[in-house]
Amino acid sequence: MTCPSAPTGITFFLSFPEDRRRPISVAASLFDHLIGPALRLLDPETAHGVTLKALGMGLGPRAEAPEDPILAIRLWGRDFANPLGLSAGFDKDAAVMAPMLRLGLGFVEVGSITPRPQPGNPKPRIFRLPEDGAVINRLGFNNGGLAQAQARLTAFREHQAAGGLPSGNRGLVGINLGKNKETEDAAADYEKGAAALGPLADYLVVNVSSPNTPGLRALQGRAELEALLGRVMDALPAPAPPLLLKIAPDLTEEDKQDIAAVCLAQGVSGIIATNTTIQRPASLKAAARDEAGGLSGRPLFAPSTAVLADLYRLTEGRLPLIGVGGITSGADAYRKIRAGASLVQLYTALIYRGPALVWRIKRELAGLLREDGFETLAAAVGADHRYGG
């Protein structure tokens, strides 16, 4: 399961003509007063299913305002119109990439995708913690498998090539790879995913950090990680897409040092920090706080940002990092960027705050960059390590 991976549905909208100076404001009002409360009356997994169907039918918002140029950044030879992305876990089966990009995101990440379809863990397996702005999930890589995802991604790329996305939005899509629960040779599953989906990816992610697949996090050990990444890199197609590693927040100092060293030595293109946590902060108030699974959302912000900062320091800023976990505002995104993130992702906050959050984060982030005198987003990456936080 990926982080923050808690498919509870972000919203169910209609599209309306919008004032271009106030993107998706009507949809935001509908979410705040009608749709969001209605969705939260449903169990989380049903709400997520309704959301995916609605988006697939075209009942989604479209951000019409032009992108602020200060938010643009170039990584791995790709131009991101803004650094804000959707984390893996929402669109597990690569079904609603275009609708989510039309929301104004700079990129989306699909998956986790395993070679064979699998149902995941028994239900119920998703739990809202509204008092904490959080979610716990124990989904277990439920997805339709490699063949289905490959067909959908191929169709998406064809649609994209035909001009089926908003002007200026190239449709950057990362693909998150997982392993089937029963597979003993984990690397073989990642090799299959890399070979089949690599040609369709703007970047690939090796996810070894979900707490919901037995034994998966053990692959973050130094020897195991070296062997795994070596095999996956050998399986990449030519030309090879960037290969990223997604890590857990629940790591020792030695773990982080080993991960940084292995990624630099193996030529990994970047690190995603972090997946969900198995820790349960004492501050949690919701009744579901003791459910098993990975915790995402606001309580994850501080620990995930600390891991991000450690990885930036340990890699000496040589690897692009994607910051994930607990982002609810432009200020949160900015803190991740100053800690070392070149890109950021969100998911859980969309459940509670709706689609207008994307516009608000971008607007607030652009303002904070200018307030601190940065002319580009890239100039702010890792600023806390140079100037202090």
Side-chain angles (χ1 to χ4, degrees), residues 34 129 169 359:
L34 177 62
L129 285 70
N169 190 334
W359 170 61

Side-chain angles (χ1 to χ4, degrees), residues 99-135:
M100 294 308 292
L101 286 165
R102 292 190 186 107
L103 189 61
L105 294 163
F107 65 107
V108 299
E109 185 174 313
V110 300
S112 292
I113 297 165
T114 59
R116 300 182 305 280
Q118 63 181 22
N121 294 322
K123 299 178 182 180
R125 53 193 181 179
I126 309 172
F127 306 89
R128 298 187 188 100
L129 285 70
E131 299 94 327
D132 306 295
V135 167

Side-chain angles (χ1 to χ4, degrees), residues 245-247 271-275 304 307-308 311 322-325 336:
L245 178 71
K246 187 163 188 175
I247 63 171
I271 300 173
I272 302 180
T274 67
N275 213 313
S304 64
V307 172
L308 171 75
L311 265 294
I322 300 180
V324 194
K336 297 265 190 195

Side-chain angles (χ1 to χ4, degrees), residues 76 260 264-265 268-270 311-321:
W76 312 305
L264 288 170
V268 169
S269 299
L311 265 294
Y312 186 87
R313 174 179 52 82
L314 290 167
T315 60
E316 299 177 334
R318 292 158 59 189
L319 290 182
L321 306 177

Side-chain angles (χ1 to χ4, degrees), residues 79-100:
D79 291 314
F80 292 78
N82 68 74
L84 189 60
L86 179 71
S87 76
F90 175 81
D91 191 6
K92 286 177 167 293
D93 291 315
V96 292
M97 295 168 286
M100 294 308 292

Side-chain angles (χ1 to χ4, degrees), residues 11-12 14 27-41:
T11 187
F12 174 27
L14 300 175
S29 179
L30 280 174
F31 180 87
D32 289 342
H33 297 102
L34 177 62
I35 300 166
L39 275 175
R40 287 191 287 272
L41 293 175

